[in-house]
Amino acid sequence: MSMEQDIGNLEQLAAMDAEIKKLTGGIETERGEIDGVRTEVAELEGRLETDRESVHEMGKTRGDLVQEIRQISQQIDRSRERLQRARNEREVNAAERELDELRKIQRDRDEEVKRLGELAEQARVSIHESETRKGEL
């Protein structure tokens, strides 16, 4: 009977050994997946940092452009006053050219502010998506 018991024990050990091998393989697979998740999280954190810096820089640039637009508006007001005080056609033409140029610059700056606003919004959406994905991981 001892031999039959030993054979039964050996069969149980073989089954346990197979189960351990299976679990060890599963652990290795999960470790690989965890490493992949860690890598993705690190990439997301890098992207988040870059996007946050971009939004900050765009905000700063936008503020500078808004300040420049205010200064241009003041220059336009002064040019209008000069146009009203013009005494001859030459002064009128010069003041009108100056006004046209200032208005063009102001339009360009307004477009830049709008474009920066759109880019900043895209960056904010990207930040939100990255934060959501990071939370999921």
Tab-separated table of all heavy atoms in Angstrom, residues 24 44 56 68 83 98 100 113-114 116:
chain	number	residue	atom	x	y	z
A	24	THR	N	3.137	30.716	-12.200
A	24	THR	CA	4.381	31.460	-12.417
A	24	THR	C	4.350	32.137	-13.790
A	24	THR	O	4.746	33.296	-13.931
A	24	THR	CB	5.596	30.526	-12.301
A	24	THR	OG1	5.589	29.905	-11.018
A	24	THR	CG2	6.890	31.283	-12.485
A	44	LEU	N	2.445	59.423	-20.244
A	44	LEU	CA	1.324	60.342	-20.022
A	44	LEU	C	1.743	61.494	-19.105
A	44	LEU	O	1.379	62.639	-19.353
A	44	LEU	CB	0.132	59.597	-19.415
A	44	LEU	CG	-0.645	58.691	-20.363
A	44	LEU	CD1	-1.647	57.842	-19.591
A	44	LEU	CD2	-1.347	59.509	-21.431
A	56	HIS	N	0.520	77.221	-20.258
A	56	HIS	CA	1.038	78.367	-19.494
A	56	HIS	C	1.703	79.384	-20.434
A	56	HIS	O	1.444	80.587	-20.335
A	56	HIS	CB	2.034	77.886	-18.436
A	56	HIS	CG	2.692	78.994	-17.684
A	56	HIS	ND1	2.022	79.731	-16.730
A	56	HIS	CD2	3.936	79.511	-17.761
A	56	HIS	CE1	2.843	80.652	-16.260
A	56	HIS	NE2	4.007	80.533	-16.861
A	68	GLU	N	-0.513	94.334	-26.175
A	68	GLU	CA	-0.105	94.996	-27.412
A	68	GLU	C	-1.319	95.558	-28.149
A	68	GLU	O	-1.271	96.664	-28.715
A	68	GLU	CB	0.652	94.007	-28.303
A	68	GLU	CG	1.272	94.638	-29.522
A	68	GLU	CD	2.091	93.651	-30.340
A	68	GLU	OE1	2.471	92.583	-29.833
A	68	GLU	OE2	2.342	93.976	-31.517
A	83	LEU	N	-5.516	112.909	-37.470
A	83	LEU	CA	-6.277	113.029	-38.713
A	83	LEU	C	-7.255	114.193	-38.610
A	83	LEU	O	-7.409	114.976	-39.561
A	83	LEU	CB	-7.027	111.722	-39.000
A	83	LEU	CG	-7.858	111.678	-40.273
A	83	LEU	CD1	-6.982	111.879	-41.506
A	83	LEU	CD2	-8.596	110.347	-40.362
A	98	GLU	N	-1.315	105.604	-41.679
A	98	GLU	CA	-0.956	105.143	-40.343
A	98	GLU	C	-2.133	104.391	-39.705
A	98	GLU	O	-1.963	103.317	-39.122
A	98	GLU	CB	-0.546	106.322	-39.467
A	98	GLU	CG	-0.080	105.914	-38.089
A	98	GLU	CD	0.379	107.109	-37.259
A	98	GLU	OE1	0.540	108.213	-37.800
A	98	GLU	OE2	0.566	106.910	-36.051
A	100	ASP	N	-4.605	102.849	-41.273
A	100	ASP	CA	-4.781	101.579	-41.982
A	100	ASP	C	-3.774	100.537	-41.503
A	100	ASP	O	-4.133	99.377	-41.261
A	100	ASP	CB	-4.641	101.776	-43.491
A	100	ASP	CG	-5.802	102.541	-44.103
A	100	ASP	OD1	-6.880	102.615	-43.449
A	100	ASP	OD2	-5.642	103.063	-45.227
A	113	VAL	N	-4.507	86.044	-31.154
A	113	VAL	CA	-5.134	85.761	-29.860
A	113	VAL	C	-6.173	84.654	-30.023
A	113	VAL	O	-6.240	83.724	-29.213
A	113	VAL	CB	-5.767	87.041	-29.262
A	113	VAL	CG1	-6.686	86.718	-28.105
A	113	VAL	CG2	-4.682	88.016	-28.818
A	114	LYS	N	-6.960	84.740	-31.083
A	114	LYS	CA	-7.986	83.722	-31.331
A	114	LYS	C	-7.336	82.356	-31.567
A	114	LYS	O	-7.764	81.345	-31.012
A	114	LYS	CB	-8.831	84.131	-32.541
A	114	LYS	CG	-9.934	83.151	-32.857
A	114	LYS	CD	-10.736	83.612	-34.068
A	114	LYS	CE	-11.787	82.585	-34.427
A	114	LYS	NZ	-12.517	82.939	-35.636
A	116	LEU	N	-4.371	81.351	-30.598
A	116	LEU	CA	-3.806	80.873	-29.333
A	116	LEU	C	-4.882	80.308	-28.423
A	116	LEU	O	-4.666	79.304	-27.741
A	116	LEU	CB	-3.063	82.001	-28.616
A	116	LEU	CG	-1.628	82.240	-29.041
A	116	LEU	CD1	-1.064	83.478	-28.356
A	116	LEU	CD2	-0.767	81.042	-28.731
